[in-house]
Amino acid sequence: MSLRGGWKSVLATASSITRQQRCLSTAVTSMRYLSTQAAALETPQSQRKCVAYRLGRVEYETAWDWQKQLIQQRVLAIRAGQSVEKDVVLILEHPSVYTLGRGGTMENVKFDPEKEHVKLVRVDRGGEVTYHGPGQVVVYPILDLTQHKKDLHWYLRQVEEVVIRTLAKFDIQGERVDGLTGVWVEEKQGSGDEEHREGNYEREMRKICAVGTHASRWVTMHGFALNVKTDLREFDRIIPCGIDDRAVTSIERIRPDVTIKDVQDAAIEAISEVFHLDMEDFEAKTPL
């Protein structure tokens, strides 16, 4: 073999080794990338923190004022380019009170609050008139939707999903009704026990939970009121939510063994699931 031919052979061998090294390096880099991606998929994303305050029985105006203060703190932080680390949820009951949404009309109120000494409060949520009182689980989420999803229609559906999941924990099937806000359950109506046994009944959807919200700079307030052991006769004074052809119901009518605390626990768990929140909760006299 000539000297020139020998050098060509050496150079070809070196070039082959270099190509193999490059391929090996590329393969190692790809494996490292895939390993990193797999690890990222296996590692759960960090959840946003949230504090749930169990506040007992609170006057409506007091709870409303708390919400306004909490939302103002968050709005000021957002305007300053800051973020608030934790969302807040208020869980409570109210003494008997009727609330009328900002677009609501007195046509759906069957009493004169001045003559009958019944409390009626006009509020800044959407919707018509509804009732709050003992035996309800009332939940007010103060959530920064810039940290979730900036879509109020999406948020309303998520709140309804919280209620549906809460009911499901007691084997109660909550449903949505097209064109209406809130959560409904089916009650079977027939003229007698024999008809029920034979399946001859009309399907009637009754409202078990009212939902109404408001948001400022994508921070939410108000929420939902779920009837647990509510005195449903109180709804006779109004046309609930302006819907005159649908009745209301409560968990007690379906599952009389379920307590207020049971429902509060289930609601906190459902909020955590639906909004992917790392929840902590405790009893308190004020959320401020």
Side-chain angles (χ1 to χ4, degrees), residues 231-284:
D231 184 351
L232 300 179
R233 293 172 297 181
E234 298 289 353
F235 287 94
D236 294 340
R237 294 174 175 268
I238 59 174
I239 300 175
C241 303
I243 305 169
D244 60 3
D245 61 344
R246 302 288 179 107
V248 295
T249 190
S250 66
I251 290 176
E252 184 177 43
R253 285 171 60 97
I254 306 165
R255 285 285 306 274
D257 58 309
V258 174
T259 68
I260 291 289
K261 185 180 183 304
D262 292 337
V263 178
Q264 289 180 341
D265 292 344
I268 289 171
E269 185 178 350
I271 291 167
S272 175
E273 293 169 356
V274 171
F275 290 103
H276 307 291
L277 294 169
D278 179 9
M279 300 287 291
E280 57 177 324
D281 74 278
F282 50 87
E283 295 181 0

Side-chain angles (χ1 to χ4, degrees), residues 19 22 53 68 222:
R19 284 197 300 271
R22 286 174 180 169
Y53 294 97
K68 287 186 282 189
H222 299 297

Side-chain angles (χ1 to χ4, degrees), residues 160-172:
E160 290 171 344
E161 181 64 23
V162 166
V163 178
I164 289 169
R165 293 194 187 197
T166 299
L167 293 170
K169 296 178 191 300
F170 307 107
D171 299 318
I172 299 172

Side-chain angles (χ1 to χ4, degrees), residues 161-197:
E161 181 64 23
V162 166
V163 178
I164 289 169
R165 293 194 187 197
T166 299
L167 293 170
K169 296 178 191 300
F170 307 107
D171 299 318
I172 299 172
Q173 183 176 339
E175 299 182 41
R176 297 179 178 89
V177 173
D178 289 344
L180 300 175
T181 301
V183 177
W184 310 71
V185 296
E186 177 184 355
E187 289 198 4
K188 298 176 181 179
Q189 303 295 319
S191 59
D193 291 339
E194 187 64 31
E195 288 195 6
H196 276 277
R197 284 195 294 271

